[in-house]
Amino acid sequence: GRRTSPPKSTATVRARRSRAAEKMSAMSNMPKVTNKQPAPMQITAEQILREARERQEDEPYTAPAQKVMDPEELAVYRMKERKQYEDRLRMNRNAMGAWIKYAAFEEAQRDFERARSVYERAIDVDHRNSALWLKYAEMEMRNRHINAARNVWDRAVTLMPRMDQFWFKYIYMEEMLGNVAGARALFDRWTEWEPEDHAWTSFVRLELRANQPDRARAVFQRYVACHNLPRAWVKWAKFEEKQGQTANSRAVFEAAIQEMD
């Protein structure tokens, strides 16, 4: 005879009907599409890709920091990075930013000979690039290679004596090292180039910090000889007044009237 399935319970039938009713209700609540015509502005795949590319350019990709544990892995990583820098510079040797980043990479590896080699190669390409000299000297200072820093600063001020920033940083380094005589000698070299007022007033402040008012007075004498202008004489007169030397201050004003007559 024919097999018959066992009769379903009333509860099961009611549950199924309830679920079916819920589905129909949900579908009836969905928004109905009334206009099935194509949109006037069609977005193409090319547009989507272009917008994605523009977003990537706006937000430059930063490679995740790599943790290198194994010495062999470290060697491979360094070789790979160096090859990338060399390839980039082969394409454009005038890209000074790439040279500076390359040198910074070598500094981060604590390979200072390689870092120096990169800076020297970059200087061969553009020896009048002030940013190169600054970064080079600052690397040596940062790692307390004082004599190497002196060498870089000395070459920089000799090559570009009108670059005030080189002189200021070189002098500041010497003073921070407690080498006031060295800082004074650098100011003497710099003022031979007859720089603007700020070089002379900085020289005066050095002598005052060293508690040498007579040396500061001698600097003022050279300053007014270089810049025979009212502002220079007034600064000297005010200096004498601050030193409590009223007679000297009066004498400076009288000398200014005679010299500028």
mmCIF file with all atom_site columns, all heavy atoms in Angstrom, residues 43-59:
data_model
loop_
_atom_site.group_PDB
_atom_site.id
_atom_site.type_symbol
_atom_site.label_atom_id
_atom_site.label_alt_id
_atom_site.label_comp_id
_atom_site.label_asym_id
_atom_site.label_entity_id
_atom_site.label_seq_id
_atom_site.pdbx_PDB_ins_code
_atom_site.Cartn_x
_atom_site.Cartn_y
_atom_site.Cartn_z
_atom_site.occupancy
_atom_site.B_iso_or_equiv
_atom_site.pdbx_formal_charge
_atom_site.auth_seq_id
_atom_site.auth_comp_id
_atom_site.auth_asym_id
_atom_site.auth_atom_id
_atom_site.pdbx_PDB_model_num
ATOM 1   N N   . ILE A 1 43 ? 27.351 56.095 -14.031 1.00 0.00 ? 43 ILE A N   1
ATOM 2   C CA  . ILE A 1 43 ? 28.704 56.011 -13.474 1.00 0.00 ? 43 ILE A CA  1
ATOM 3   C C   . ILE A 1 43 ? 29.389 54.807 -14.092 1.00 0.00 ? 43 ILE A C   1
ATOM 4   O O   . ILE A 1 43 ? 28.913 53.674 -13.964 1.00 0.00 ? 43 ILE A O   1
ATOM 5   C CB  . ILE A 1 43 ? 28.671 55.890 -11.938 1.00 0.00 ? 43 ILE A CB  1
ATOM 6   C CG1 . ILE A 1 43 ? 28.007 57.136 -11.340 1.00 0.00 ? 43 ILE A CG1 1
ATOM 7   C CG2 . ILE A 1 43 ? 30.075 55.720 -11.367 1.00 0.00 ? 43 ILE A CG2 1
ATOM 8   C CD1 . ILE A 1 43 ? 27.802 57.062 -9.850  1.00 0.00 ? 43 ILE A CD1 1
ATOM 9   N N   . THR A 1 44 ? 30.497 55.082 -14.767 1.00 0.00 ? 44 THR A N   1
ATOM 10  C CA  . THR A 1 44 ? 31.214 53.993 -15.426 1.00 0.00 ? 44 THR A CA  1
ATOM 11  C C   . THR A 1 44 ? 32.256 53.412 -14.486 1.00 0.00 ? 44 THR A C   1
ATOM 12  O O   . THR A 1 44 ? 32.630 54.032 -13.478 1.00 0.00 ? 44 THR A O   1
ATOM 13  C CB  . THR A 1 44 ? 31.917 54.507 -16.703 1.00 0.00 ? 44 THR A CB  1
ATOM 14  O OG1 . THR A 1 44 ? 32.885 55.474 -16.300 1.00 0.00 ? 44 THR A OG1 1
ATOM 15  C CG2 . THR A 1 44 ? 30.932 55.142 -17.664 1.00 0.00 ? 44 THR A CG2 1
ATOM 16  N N   . ALA A 1 45 ? 32.743 52.233 -14.846 1.00 0.00 ? 45 ALA A N   1
ATOM 17  C CA  . ALA A 1 45 ? 33.798 51.586 -14.060 1.00 0.00 ? 45 ALA A CA  1
ATOM 18  C C   . ALA A 1 45 ? 35.050 52.450 -14.035 1.00 0.00 ? 45 ALA A C   1
ATOM 19  O O   . ALA A 1 45 ? 35.765 52.527 -13.034 1.00 0.00 ? 45 ALA A O   1
ATOM 20  C CB  . ALA A 1 45 ? 34.109 50.215 -14.644 1.00 0.00 ? 45 ALA A CB  1
ATOM 21  N N   . GLU A 1 46 ? 35.308 53.168 -15.179 1.00 0.00 ? 46 GLU A N   1
ATOM 22  C CA  . GLU A 1 46 ? 36.500 54.026 -15.258 1.00 0.00 ? 46 GLU A CA  1
ATOM 23  C C   . GLU A 1 46 ? 36.422 55.163 -14.235 1.00 0.00 ? 46 GLU A C   1
ATOM 24  O O   . GLU A 1 46 ? 37.411 55.501 -13.590 1.00 0.00 ? 46 GLU A O   1
ATOM 25  C CB  . GLU A 1 46 ? 36.646 54.618 -16.676 1.00 0.00 ? 46 GLU A CB  1
ATOM 26  C CG  . GLU A 1 46 ? 37.100 53.618 -17.728 1.00 0.00 ? 46 GLU A CG  1
ATOM 27  C CD  . GLU A 1 46 ? 35.950 52.754 -18.253 1.00 0.00 ? 46 GLU A CD  1
ATOM 28  O OE1 . GLU A 1 46 ? 34.806 52.963 -17.814 1.00 0.00 ? 46 GLU A OE1 1
ATOM 29  O OE2 . GLU A 1 46 ? 36.214 51.862 -19.069 1.00 0.00 ? 46 GLU A OE2 1
ATOM 30  N N   . GLN A 1 47 ? 35.196 55.736 -14.078 1.00 0.00 ? 47 GLN A N   1
ATOM 31  C CA  . GLN A 1 47 ? 35.029 56.809 -13.099 1.00 0.00 ? 47 GLN A CA  1
ATOM 32  C C   . GLN A 1 47 ? 35.292 56.321 -11.683 1.00 0.00 ? 47 GLN A C   1
ATOM 33  O O   . GLN A 1 47 ? 35.937 56.993 -10.882 1.00 0.00 ? 47 GLN A O   1
ATOM 34  C CB  . GLN A 1 47 ? 33.604 57.377 -13.187 1.00 0.00 ? 47 GLN A CB  1
ATOM 35  C CG  . GLN A 1 47 ? 33.414 58.356 -14.331 1.00 0.00 ? 47 GLN A CG  1
ATOM 36  C CD  . GLN A 1 47 ? 31.975 58.808 -14.384 1.00 0.00 ? 47 GLN A CD  1
ATOM 37  O OE1 . GLN A 1 47 ? 31.109 58.061 -14.802 1.00 0.00 ? 47 GLN A OE1 1
ATOM 38  N NE2 . GLN A 1 47 ? 31.716 60.026 -13.955 1.00 0.00 ? 47 GLN A NE2 1
ATOM 39  N N   . ILE A 1 48 ? 34.772 55.162 -11.361 1.00 0.00 ? 48 ILE A N   1
ATOM 40  C CA  . ILE A 1 48 ? 34.962 54.595 -10.014 1.00 0.00 ? 48 ILE A CA  1
ATOM 41  C C   . ILE A 1 48 ? 36.441 54.382 -9.742  1.00 0.00 ? 48 ILE A C   1
ATOM 42  O O   . ILE A 1 48 ? 36.957 54.737 -8.679  1.00 0.00 ? 48 ILE A O   1
ATOM 43  C CB  . ILE A 1 48 ? 34.181 53.264 -9.876  1.00 0.00 ? 48 ILE A CB  1
ATOM 44  C CG1 . ILE A 1 48 ? 32.664 53.547 -9.957  1.00 0.00 ? 48 ILE A CG1 1
ATOM 45  C CG2 . ILE A 1 48 ? 34.523 52.566 -8.563  1.00 0.00 ? 48 ILE A CG2 1
ATOM 46  C CD1 . ILE A 1 48 ? 31.819 52.311 -10.108 1.00 0.00 ? 48 ILE A CD1 1
ATOM 47  N N   . LEU A 1 49 ? 37.163 53.838 -10.735 1.00 0.00 ? 49 LEU A N   1
ATOM 48  C CA  . LEU A 1 49 ? 38.603 53.592 -10.566 1.00 0.00 ? 49 LEU A CA  1
ATOM 49  C C   . LEU A 1 49 ? 39.377 54.898 -10.430 1.00 0.00 ? 49 LEU A C   1
ATOM 50  O O   . LEU A 1 49 ? 40.297 55.001 -9.628  1.00 0.00 ? 49 LEU A O   1
ATOM 51  C CB  . LEU A 1 49 ? 39.141 52.786 -11.760 1.00 0.00 ? 49 LEU A CB  1
ATOM 52  C CG  . LEU A 1 49 ? 38.702 51.323 -11.821 1.00 0.00 ? 49 LEU A CG  1
ATOM 53  C CD1 . LEU A 1 49 ? 39.092 50.709 -13.161 1.00 0.00 ? 49 LEU A CD1 1
ATOM 54  C CD2 . LEU A 1 49 ? 39.319 50.521 -10.694 1.00 0.00 ? 49 LEU A CD2 1
ATOM 55  N N   . ARG A 1 50 ? 38.969 55.904 -11.250 1.00 0.00 ? 50 ARG A N   1
ATOM 56  C CA  . ARG A 1 50 ? 39.672 57.180 -11.195 1.00 0.00 ? 50 ARG A CA  1
ATOM 57  C C   . ARG A 1 50 ? 39.506 57.844 -9.833  1.00 0.00 ? 50 ARG A C   1
ATOM 58  O O   . ARG A 1 50 ? 40.453 58.361 -9.248  1.00 0.00 ? 50 ARG A O   1
ATOM 59  C CB  . ARG A 1 50 ? 39.157 58.114 -12.298 1.00 0.00 ? 50 ARG A CB  1
ATOM 60  C CG  . ARG A 1 50 ? 39.977 59.411 -12.409 1.00 0.00 ? 50 ARG A CG  1
ATOM 61  C CD  . ARG A 1 50 ? 39.658 60.211 -13.651 1.00 0.00 ? 50 ARG A CD  1
ATOM 62  N NE  . ARG A 1 50 ? 38.268 60.652 -13.666 1.00 0.00 ? 50 ARG A NE  1
ATOM 63  C CZ  . ARG A 1 50 ? 37.345 60.210 -14.523 1.00 0.00 ? 50 ARG A CZ  1
ATOM 64  N NH1 . ARG A 1 50 ? 37.649 59.292 -15.426 1.00 0.00 ? 50 ARG A NH1 1
ATOM 65  N NH2 . ARG A 1 50 ? 36.106 60.676 -14.481 1.00 0.00 ? 50 ARG A NH2 1
ATOM 66  N N   . GLU A 1 51 ? 38.258 57.831 -9.293  1.00 0.00 ? 51 GLU A N   1
ATOM 67  C CA  . GLU A 1 51 ? 38.015 58.416 -7.969  1.00 0.00 ? 51 GLU A CA  1
ATOM 68  C C   . GLU A 1 51 ? 38.795 57.690 -6.881  1.00 0.00 ? 51 GLU A C   1
ATOM 69  O O   . GLU A 1 51 ? 39.329 58.308 -5.965  1.00 0.00 ? 51 GLU A O   1
ATOM 70  C CB  . GLU A 1 51 ? 36.515 58.385 -7.660  1.00 0.00 ? 51 GLU A CB  1
ATOM 71  C CG  . GLU A 1 51 ? 35.723 59.420 -8.445  1.00 0.00 ? 51 GLU A CG  1
ATOM 72  C CD  . GLU A 1 51 ? 34.219 59.308 -8.193  1.00 0.00 ? 51 GLU A CD  1
ATOM 73  O OE1 . GLU A 1 51 ? 33.840 58.601 -7.242  1.00 0.00 ? 51 GLU A OE1 1
ATOM 74  O OE2 . GLU A 1 51 ? 33.457 59.932 -8.950  1.00 0.00 ? 51 GLU A OE2 1
ATOM 75  N N   . ALA A 1 52 ? 38.867 56.380 -7.003  1.00 0.00 ? 52 ALA A N   1
ATOM 76  C CA  . ALA A 1 52 ? 39.633 55.600 -6.026  1.00 0.00 ? 52 ALA A CA  1
ATOM 77  C C   . ALA A 1 52 ? 41.105 55.973 -6.082  1.00 0.00 ? 52 ALA A C   1
ATOM 78  O O   . ALA A 1 52 ? 41.772 56.121 -5.054  1.00 0.00 ? 52 ALA A O   1
ATOM 79  C CB  . ALA A 1 52 ? 39.453 54.107 -6.287  1.00 0.00 ? 52 ALA A CB  1
ATOM 80  N N   . ARG A 1 53 ? 41.629 56.172 -7.315  1.00 0.00 ? 53 ARG A N   1
ATOM 81  C CA  . ARG A 1 53 ? 43.035 56.527 -7.483  1.00 0.00 ? 53 ARG A CA  1
ATOM 82  C C   . ARG A 1 53 ? 43.315 57.914 -6.909  1.00 0.00 ? 53 ARG A C   1
ATOM 83  O O   . ARG A 1 53 ? 44.333 58.147 -6.264  1.00 0.00 ? 53 ARG A O   1
ATOM 84  C CB  . ARG A 1 53 ? 43.406 56.455 -8.962  1.00 0.00 ? 53 ARG A CB  1
ATOM 85  C CG  . ARG A 1 53 ? 44.899 56.542 -9.232  1.00 0.00 ? 53 ARG A CG  1
ATOM 86  C CD  . ARG A 1 53 ? 45.283 56.034 -10.605 1.00 0.00 ? 53 ARG A CD  1
ATOM 87  N NE  . ARG A 1 53 ? 44.527 56.684 -11.658 1.00 0.00 ? 53 ARG A NE  1
ATOM 88  C CZ  . ARG A 1 53 ? 43.663 56.065 -12.452 1.00 0.00 ? 53 ARG A CZ  1
ATOM 89  N NH1 . ARG A 1 53 ? 43.407 54.790 -12.296 1.00 0.00 ? 53 ARG A NH1 1
ATOM 90  N NH2 . ARG A 1 53 ? 43.010 56.719 -13.394 1.00 0.00 ? 53 ARG A NH2 1
ATOM 91  N N   . GLU A 1 54 ? 42.373 58.863 -7.147  1.00 0.00 ? 54 GLU A N   1
ATOM 92  C CA  . GLU A 1 54 ? 42.544 60.217 -6.617  1.00 0.00 ? 54 GLU A CA  1
ATOM 93  C C   . GLU A 1 54 ? 42.553 60.221 -5.096  1.00 0.00 ? 54 GLU A C   1
ATOM 94  O O   . GLU A 1 54 ? 43.312 60.937 -4.461  1.00 0.00 ? 54 GLU A O   1
ATOM 95  C CB  . GLU A 1 54 ? 41.422 61.124 -7.137  1.00 0.00 ? 54 GLU A CB  1
ATOM 96  C CG  . GLU A 1 54 ? 41.621 61.533 -8.593  1.00 0.00 ? 54 GLU A CG  1
ATOM 97  C CD  . GLU A 1 54 ? 40.394 62.221 -9.179  1.00 0.00 ? 54 GLU A CD  1
ATOM 98  O OE1 . GLU A 1 54 ? 39.398 62.381 -8.426  1.00 0.00 ? 54 GLU A OE1 1
ATOM 99  O OE2 . GLU A 1 54 ? 40.441 62.594 -10.356 1.00 0.00 ? 54 GLU A OE2 1
ATOM 100 N N   . ARG A 1 55 ? 41.687 59.384 -4.498  1.00 0.00 ? 55 ARG A N   1
ATOM 101 C CA  . ARG A 1 55 ? 41.681 59.290 -3.032  1.00 0.00 ? 55 ARG A CA  1
ATOM 102 C C   . ARG A 1 55 ? 43.005 58.751 -2.512  1.00 0.00 ? 55 ARG A C   1
ATOM 103 O O   . ARG A 1 55 ? 43.507 59.174 -1.488  1.00 0.00 ? 55 ARG A O   1
ATOM 104 C CB  . ARG A 1 55 ? 40.517 58.411 -2.569  1.00 0.00 ? 55 ARG A CB  1
ATOM 105 C CG  . ARG A 1 55 ? 39.256 59.209 -2.278  1.00 0.00 ? 55 ARG A CG  1
ATOM 106 C CD  . ARG A 1 55 ? 38.301 58.417 -1.408  1.00 0.00 ? 55 ARG A CD  1
ATOM 107 N NE  . ARG A 1 55 ? 37.803 57.243 -2.094  1.00 0.00 ? 55 ARG A NE  1
ATOM 108 C CZ  . ARG A 1 55 ? 36.733 57.255 -2.892  1.00 0.00 ? 55 ARG A CZ  1
ATOM 109 N NH1 . ARG A 1 55 ? 36.080 58.392 -3.102  1.00 0.00 ? 55 ARG A NH1 1
ATOM 110 N NH2 . ARG A 1 55 ? 36.317 56.159 -3.477  1.00 0.00 ? 55 ARG A NH2 1
ATOM 111 N N   . GLN A 1 56 ? 43.578 57.810 -3.240  1.00 0.00 ? 56 GLN A N   1
ATOM 112 C CA  . GLN A 1 56 ? 44.877 57.239 -2.837  1.00 0.00 ? 56 GLN A CA  1
ATOM 113 C C   . GLN A 1 56 ? 45.961 58.295 -2.907  1.00 0.00 ? 56 GLN A C   1
ATOM 114 O O   . GLN A 1 56 ? 46.850 58.354 -2.058  1.00 0.00 ? 56 GLN A O   1
ATOM 115 C CB  . GLN A 1 56 ? 45.249 56.058 -3.742  1.00 0.00 ? 56 GLN A CB  1
ATOM 116 C CG  . GLN A 1 56 ? 44.512 54.775 -3.381  1.00 0.00 ? 56 GLN A CG  1
ATOM 117 C CD  . GLN A 1 56 ? 44.956 53.627 -4.262  1.00 0.00 ? 56 GLN A CD  1
ATOM 118 O OE1 . GLN A 1 56 ? 45.528 53.833 -5.323  1.00 0.00 ? 56 GLN A OE1 1
ATOM 119 N NE2 . GLN A 1 56 ? 44.696 52.416 -3.827  1.00 0.00 ? 56 GLN A NE2 1
ATOM 120 N N   . GLU A 1 57 ? 45.893 59.166 -3.941  1.00 0.00 ? 57 GLU A N   1
ATOM 121 C CA  . GLU A 1 57 ? 46.914 60.210 -4.079  1.00 0.00 ? 57 GLU A CA  1
ATOM 122 C C   . GLU A 1 57 ? 46.782 61.234 -2.965  1.00 0.00 ? 57 GLU A C   1
ATOM 123 O O   . GLU A 1 57 ? 47.765 61.759 -2.470  1.00 0.00 ? 57 GLU A O   1
ATOM 124 C CB  . GLU A 1 57 ? 46.782 60.882 -5.446  1.00 0.00 ? 57 GLU A CB  1
ATOM 125 C CG  . GLU A 1 57 ? 47.281 59.982 -6.584  1.00 0.00 ? 57 GLU A CG  1
ATOM 126 C CD  . GLU A 1 57 ? 46.915 60.528 -7.962  1.00 0.00 ? 57 GLU A CD  1
ATOM 127 O OE1 . GLU A 1 57 ? 46.342 61.636 -8.008  1.00 0.00 ? 57 GLU A OE1 1
ATOM 128 O OE2 . GLU A 1 57 ? 47.184 59.846 -8.954  1.00 0.00 ? 57 GLU A OE2 1
ATOM 129 N N   . ASP A 1 58 ? 45.521 61.533 -2.575  1.00 0.00 ? 58 ASP A N   1
ATOM 130 C CA  . ASP A 1 58 ? 45.313 62.490 -1.485  1.00 0.00 ? 58 ASP A CA  1
ATOM 131 C C   . ASP A 1 58 ? 45.833 61.953 -0.161  1.00 0.00 ? 58 ASP A C   1
ATOM 132 O O   . ASP A 1 58 ? 46.329 62.686 0.671   1.00 0.00 ? 58 ASP A O   1
ATOM 133 C CB  . ASP A 1 58 ? 43.818 62.811 -1.333  1.00 0.00 ? 58 ASP A CB  1
ATOM 134 C CG  . ASP A 1 58 ? 43.312 63.626 -2.522  1.00 0.00 ? 58 ASP A CG  1
ATOM 135 O OD1 . ASP A 1 58 ? 44.166 64.191 -3.225  1.00 0.00 ? 58 ASP A OD1 1
ATOM 136 O OD2 . ASP A 1 58 ? 42.090 63.669 -2.743  1.00 0.00 ? 58 ASP A OD2 1
ATOM 137 N N   . GLU A 1 59 ? 45.712 60.647 0.048   1.00 0.00 ? 59 GLU A N   1
ATOM 138 C CA  . GLU A 1 59 ? 46.155 60.025 1.293   1.00 0.00 ? 59 GLU A CA  1
ATOM 139 C C   . GLU A 1 59 ? 47.308 59.076 0.978   1.00 0.00 ? 59 GLU A C   1
ATOM 140 O O   . GLU A 1 59 ? 47.089 57.928 0.638   1.00 0.00 ? 59 GLU A O   1
ATOM 141 C CB  . GLU A 1 59 ? 45.001 59.245 1.939   1.00 0.00 ? 59 GLU A CB  1
ATOM 142 C CG  . GLU A 1 59 ? 43.805 60.128 2.266   1.00 0.00 ? 59 GLU A CG  1
ATOM 143 C CD  . GLU A 1 59 ? 42.584 59.314 2.650   1.00 0.00 ? 59 GLU A CD  1
ATOM 144 O OE1 . GLU A 1 59 ? 42.717 58.076 2.787   1.00 0.00 ? 59 GLU A OE1 1
ATOM 145 O OE2 . GLU A 1 59 ? 41.515 59.910 2.792   1.00 0.00 ? 59 GLU A OE2 1
#
